[in-house]
Amino acid sequence: MIADTDITPATARPTLVLGVTGCIAAYKACELVRSLVKQDVRIKVVMTQAATRFVGPVTFRTLSDEPVTTSLWDDPGSSAVHHVSLAEEADVMLIAPCTANVMAKLATGRADDILSATALATEATIIIAPAMNTHMWRHPATRANLETLRSRGVIVVEPELGELACGDIGEGRLASAERILEVTQAELGRSSDLVGLGVLVTAGPTFEPMDPVRFLGNRSTGKQGYAIAEEFGRRGANVVLVSGPTSLPDPFGVTTIRVNTALEMQAAAECVYDDVDVVVSVAAVADFRPEYVAGDKIKKEDAPDTLVLVRNPDILAGFGADKGDRFLIGFAAETVDVLKHARQKLVAKNLDLVVANDVSEPGAGFGHDTNRVVFVTREVDEHLSSMTKREVARRIADKISARVSKMP
Ligand code: C5P
């Protein structure tokens, strides 16, 4: 239920899977374990073989008071799929330090050791804290891997400038323990902050048929809505995604209902509306549909000169009229007077938040992986810098998190 109180974590003792890779900064991971254990975080350390050359597993075993895994073939219980159980236990996976090699493995989806297999199998947020020689860090291959990982939602704690193990001074030194801990704690806090919350997300375009072959549609790809559904799901919410036609796979941990038309979207959304606390309406719902839908393909020579359109229902405005305690979020994709239109929508549809963006701006809106949005509420306009759609999703979930008290 929505309330103006801060949230409390759902589980008293979150689990962090800490991946340690083979570089001299591996010893700094010991300090991370000590600090996190003091904050009552359960730590499961997984090490690459190379990491064990720098620090012995016994050190981590002692500091964490948990078994340490160093190989796919370690068998702490009896499981031959230990990487899967580790992956499932993780609320967050932190890899610190993360070598260029492990970054490359994560970017290409390799799973040939316990650490990379766990990272591939987990649905938890992954944080990496890279540490390497400056030339390796700056290499185009590493830059490309970094971009790939970021685009998939991996959080990167950037290395710092300083003296490196090789004696060079440059970029590549592992970020400070304080910085890594700050990012990790924030993510641990986010790992289950929306447990019990019912969320409806609409996403994608709607296709309004003229005949069995032709339709009226729009350029929405569904990327932003899917990212939002996934983010809420990852943080423990019960999410139903009602999606128009897209080429995206169903987001993990989310109930996805596929529809084609605005009327189908409305019917599906209304079915779940009673059970939700939050609605995030990202779908680019067609405002009009052809009045008549031909049963057979209309022959060119039989086509009418004019296409008669009728208005589609405004799904979100309908929800606004029957709002109750729900928190309603709309999107406003505009090309001119973005804020003015967003404010009008906020009031006209009885919304709590409108996420406004200028879809004519480069790198924003339809089809892009990034977005530049303004959060418009009755009190304030919050201008966000250009960021990935995943990050926009995270910011929206953070807004809800700040207003949520746990469901009974
Ligand atoms: O009025 P406009 O279409 O610009 O408003 C956009 C917002 O309203 C979006 O959140 C969109 O998902 C929602 N909407 C809707 N049903 C419609 C049209 C828009 O739910 N028919």
Side-chain angles (χ1 to χ4, degrees):
M1 286 287 127
I2 304 298
D4 280 331
T5 52
D6 277 337
I7 45 99
T8 47
T11 49
R13 208 164 173 239
T15 299
L16 178 81
V17 170
L18 173 63
V20 183
T21 72
C23 76
I24 183 64
Y27 77 92
K28 296 184 180 173
C30 300
E31 195 49 47
L32 297 175
V33 175
R34 267 169 57 91
S35 301
L36 287 161
V37 164
K38 275 192 199 147
Q39 287 157 42
D40 213 16
V41 178
R42 178 170 167 250
I43 312 223
K44 299 280 215 168
V45 176
V46 291
M47 305 175 74
T48 61
Q49 286 298 311
T52 63
R53 302 288 185 123
F54 289 93
V55 184
V58 174
T59 307
F60 288 114
R61 167 85 184 81
T62 310
L63 290 172
S64 67
D65 201 19
E66 293 280 347
V68 172
T69 317
T70 59
S71 152
L72 275 168
W73 313 109
D74 282 0
D75 190 0
S78 60
S79 175
V81 285
H82 188 45
H83 60 287
V84 176
S85 51
L86 276 170
E88 281 171 359
E89 276 178 277
D91 289 306
V92 170
M93 181 168 183
L94 165 67
I95 307 176
C98 185
T99 56
N101 177 49
V102 169
M103 280 177 64
K105 283 199 201 187
L106 299 183
T108 50
R110 294 284 296 273
D112 60 355
D113 63 17
I114 183 69
L115 196 157
S116 54
T118 305
L120 196 63
T122 194
E123 281 135 25
T125 298
I126 299 178
I127 306 169
I128 61 168
M132 65 198 71
N133 162 275
T134 303
H135 301 298
M136 294 169 91
W137 175 244
R138 295 230 180 109
H139 195 284
T142 305
R143 308 313 297 172
N145 291 333
L146 193 67
E147 281 322 302
T148 303
L149 293 174
R150 277 209 173 105
S151 73
R152 293 192 197 134
V154 171
I155 295 173
V156 181
V157 188
E158 295 258 349
E160 295 174 348
L161 197 73
E163 193 178 341
L164 304 170
C166 54
D168 287 357
I169 300 213
E171 242 179 317
R173 193 170 72 173
L174 183 70
S176 69
E178 292 73 37
R179 178 79 194 117
I180 297 172
L181 290 169
E182 186 189 350
V183 175
T184 305
Q185 279 150 349
E187 282 315 308
L188 283 169
R190 282 182 173 121
S191 64
S192 55
D193 57 346
L194 302 177
V195 167
L197 193 77
V199 180
L200 164 66
V201 180
T202 67
T206 64
F207 285 179
E208 308 298 329
M210 294 162 61
D211 66 21
V213 177
R214 305 182 182 93
F215 61 86
L216 299 179
N218 61 64
R219 293 182 194 281
S220 170
T221 58
K223 281 184 181 177
Q224 181 65 80
Y226 278 53
I228 290 168
E230 202 163 71
E231 175 71 12
F232 275 95
R234 198 181 58 73
R235 291 164 73 159
N238 301 321
V239 185
V240 177
L241 169 67
V242 180
S243 172
T246 70
S247 56
L248 302 173
D250 291 0
F252 191 85
V254 164
T255 304
T256 304
I257 303 172
R258 302 265 178 181
V259 296
N260 286 305
T261 66
L263 291 178
E264 288 168 8
M265 184 171 278
Q266 182 187 36
E270 283 179 356
C271 271
V272 293
Y273 188 62
D274 278 352
D275 298 325
V276 300
D277 307 290
V278 176
V279 176
V280 193
S281 179
V282 200
V285 185
D287 291 316
F288 303 96
R289 66 179 184 277
E291 186 174 26
Y292 299 108
V293 183
D296 294 311
K297 184 182 172 192
I298 303 167
K299 303 303 286 173
K300 218 182 299 182
E301 43 284 5
D302 301 337
D305 292 337
T306 52
L307 182 64
V308 181
L309 300 176
V310 289
R311 248 184 204 287
N312 270 330
D314 190 317
I315 304 168
L316 186 56
F319 289 157
D322 174 25
K323 189 165 178 297
D325 291 335
R326 296 176 192 83
F327 193 89
L328 301 185
I329 305 178
F331 269 65
E334 303 287 345
T335 53
V336 285
D337 290 335
V338 178
L339 292 183
K340 191 176 119 203
H341 288 123
R343 264 180 230 119
Q344 280 167 355
K345 261 167 231 183
L346 187 79
V347 176
K349 301 193 191 197
N350 195 21
L351 308 179
D352 298 284
L353 169 67
V354 170
V355 181
N357 65 337
D358 184 341
V359 286
S360 64
E361 263 189 40
F366 300 130
H368 293 285
D369 288 323
T370 53
N371 217 347
R372 189 162 176 186
V373 301
V374 185
F375 285 166
V376 178
T377 61
R378 271 154 225 261
E379 298 80 38
V380 72
D381 295 343
E382 198 183 323
H383 292 255
L384 275 60
S385 55
S386 175
M387 55 182 65
T388 62
K389 289 186 172 174
R390 273 175 182 272
E391 185 57 31
V392 172
R394 188 171 290 152
R395 300 292 185 97
I396 293 171
D398 285 351
K399 279 238 164 281
I400 299 298
S401 175
R403 289 167 169 267
V404 162
S405 64
K406 274 198 293 136
M407 300 279 283

